[in-house]
Amino acid sequence: MKTFYVTTPIYYANSLPHLGHLYTMIVADAVARHKRQQGIETFFLTGTDEHGINIERAAERAGRTPKEQADYVVSYFKKMTAEFRLDTDHGGYDMFMRTSEPFHYEGVSELWRRAARAKTPKGKDAIYKGHYEGWFCAPCAAYKTEDEYAKPTEAGGSPTCLIHETPLDRISEESYFFRLSDYAEALLALYESRPGFVQPESRNNEVTAFVRGGLQDLSVSRLKTSVSWGVPVPDDPDHTMYVWFDALTNYITAIGFGNEERERAVGFEKFWPALHFVGKDILRFHAVYWPAFLMAAGVEQPRAIVAHGMWLDPNGRKMSKTLGNTVDLDVLSRHFPIDAIRYFCLREMVFGQDGRFGYEALIDRTNSDLASGLGNLSSRTLTMISRYADGRIPSGVISEDKLLLAKRTGVDTDETTISGFIEHARDQFRQHFEAFAFSKALETAWTVVARVDKMTSDARPWELAKDENQKQTLSAVLYRAAETLRWLCVLLYPVMPTATLEIWTQLGLANSPGSTGTPAGIDPAKLKWGELAEGTVIGEVKPLFPRIDKAKTMAEINEPEQEAGADGRGDRVSVEREHPLGVQATEANAVPNAPIRKETRPSPPMTSATEADAVPGAEGVTSFIDITDFTKVDLRVGEVLTAERIPKADKLLLLTVDIGEEKPRQILAGIAQYYEPEQLLGRKIAVVANLKPRKLRGYESQGMLLAASVGDEGKPVIATFTEDVPNGARLK
Ligand code: MSP
């Protein structure tokens, strides 16, 4: 059986998890899920790097032992991975590695011993004892050469690290060295013979240039008296292993190198070599040092080292605690669905390059691509199936005798036009995904969303529904949309595991007999158009990605003190998030960009001191009209035939409403923040039919619907009928 092994870096156990860590895990998680879909036995490893001077110091500052410090940080990482559904329980990583585990000590010692016995390609000892004199950056866990630090500003001072801007440690002590300088040719030959060993190509060029520039031997131990928290050098316990030798080796010790118990539990033989995902910040350690260590020890090279770019803030600055521009994972999980975060990370960052992360951009993408895009396509299709096809997946076949009729409506009677388009998109999606071009893969998937959305609108299902002779045409359109959704679930599962399973359930596929499992176990390459079974009873239709109210959410994010509930944990906010309501439902509210307060309050009634004010029980009513005034308003019963959002207008829905006239009316209603379009389909409502038409956002609104205005915010509740009423009936 084919196997696949994917890793993230193991994260330093001296600081709490942040967006950067989350990102690499999302990437590795998505790739692992994609492989599992193909039936490939996959092992996904992540974990923590727990040794070294930096952790020792962090522990000291916190008044803990290094192990206690590591336990503390690990508990946060585990909480984060569970919250973001990246852990084993949610189908994510298979193992959380910790370098403080005894089996790791055994494995690293074994690798060291093998390297220590080895000769370099030039016939010298690969590891030798010498004396190190130079500068060391504890946060980087790396020795720095002259071009990697800033010279001290005053005589006798320490130089500072160019990355961390912190003083370097002067080290002058006995040390073991790894004879890296003898491995340059062998490394260059490796890069040359294995295209794709370092990815993307631009990073491969960087690494190659670095190695061509000549390599210096690497100090791979510290005296125990300087650094005690680490793996002792075999047979020389006065030395502690260099933390990168120890850390990189986690990739093989986790699965059984040098330890029989782990070998039985996972299997080095079975899973190695791995694909390592890393940030570009640690590429050199992975693409130069690690392959050289493995060469010396005679262990097979990794499958590939794939480096991604870094997340910057919206202004393109590096994220740092000092600048206060880091992304707080608590804020992310409190305000955004996890799948929206996953989607954004993979869609927004062109893999390999740096990307900018901003909450506003995340809200915009969630609203446009997920709420209005995929989410809307799903709810719209399923709502129509429940309404026009009795809640069952209809047949996609148009019989010979109905073909001509169908053609007249403009519907393409050749199903292979759409299925061909989607098959091609699937192939492209797979190619991009396999090449880690996640952004392009998702762009491709969204061409499918747009195409099928348009196909559905162009077919005007509400009109087809009125004509018994067009029943098959309507069924075919709905079938195609539903089948497309099934395909999208499979393609998008690795990116959005929760949302795609939800659509799957709503399509009625979770428990239907003969169902092909779930998207988690379906290979996209094996999807066949038409396998969605006719007659499948669909599930309950629920909105997938509620629109996020940008102004409100940004205000909450920027004013964290208001977020906290009574217990300071922000419960009030998370409750509100499940009911993302915005403005109210009248034509007046449709004024773009008007402040909400003004929008939502009806204009005050004219007050005059008449006896009417004294009428008991008529609180709030301050003047009366007579019946002739009322009859001037032509109120009609209408049925909502279509409802959709308007691009760039957060508050407006565009409705077509049948009020018994020859043509349905087009009506704009400012209710988009309170109602999902699909909730309105088929609803009987009350319409002001003789309101002068007016244009809003380039659309003519030919009437107004009635809604109660509730609460301080003037939340709209649409007036409706509980009994059957014909379209166009007058209200009087
Ligand atoms: N412990 C070492 C890795 C040892 S692997 C054998 C280490 N740890 S770290 O905690 O600093 O994590 C670095 C990794 O976190 C990066 O390589 C990257 O995967 C991720 N990121 C940290 N900040 C990031 C961004 N701003 N953007 C994207 N990913 C980033 O280095």
Side-chain angles (χ1 to χ4, degrees), residues 211-290:
V211 175
R212 278 212 185 103
L215 296 174
Q216 290 182 5
D217 291 351
L218 184 71
S219 161
V220 284
S221 76
R222 293 291 304 276
L223 281 178
K224 191 173 162 51
T225 45
S226 312
V227 180
S228 61
W229 177 234
V231 183
V233 167
D235 312 317
D236 194 351
D238 287 345
H239 284 261
T240 304
M241 261 184 226
Y242 173 44
V243 68
W244 273 99
F245 191 95
D246 157 0
L248 287 159
T249 310
N250 96 90
Y251 298 133
I252 55 176
T253 59
I255 56 171
F257 179 87
N259 180 280
E260 273 175 28
E261 206 182 301
R262 294 302 307 157
E263 175 62 31
R264 274 195 302 277
V266 189
F268 172 77
E269 292 302 327
K270 181 172 173 185
F271 283 105
W272 187 253
L275 183 142
H276 300 310
F277 279 115
V278 297
K280 67 177 189 188
D281 55 331
I282 54 173
L283 180 60
R284 189 177 299 176
F285 299 96
H286 283 80
V288 181
Y289 299 176
W290 181 225

Side-chain angles (χ1 to χ4, degrees), residues 8-12 15 18-21 23-24 49 77 244 247-251 277-282 286 308-312 319 349:
T8 71
I10 46 170
Y11 305 108
Y12 286 130
S15 63
H18 57 70
L19 173 70
H21 306 133
Y23 174 66
T24 318
D49 181 354
F77 267 94
W244 273 99
L248 287 159
T249 310
N250 96 90
Y251 298 133
F277 279 115
V278 297
K280 67 177 189 188
D281 55 331
I282 54 173
H286 283 80
H308 62 71
M310 307 305 268
W311 283 107
L312 309 172
M319 289 184 179
M349 171 106 88

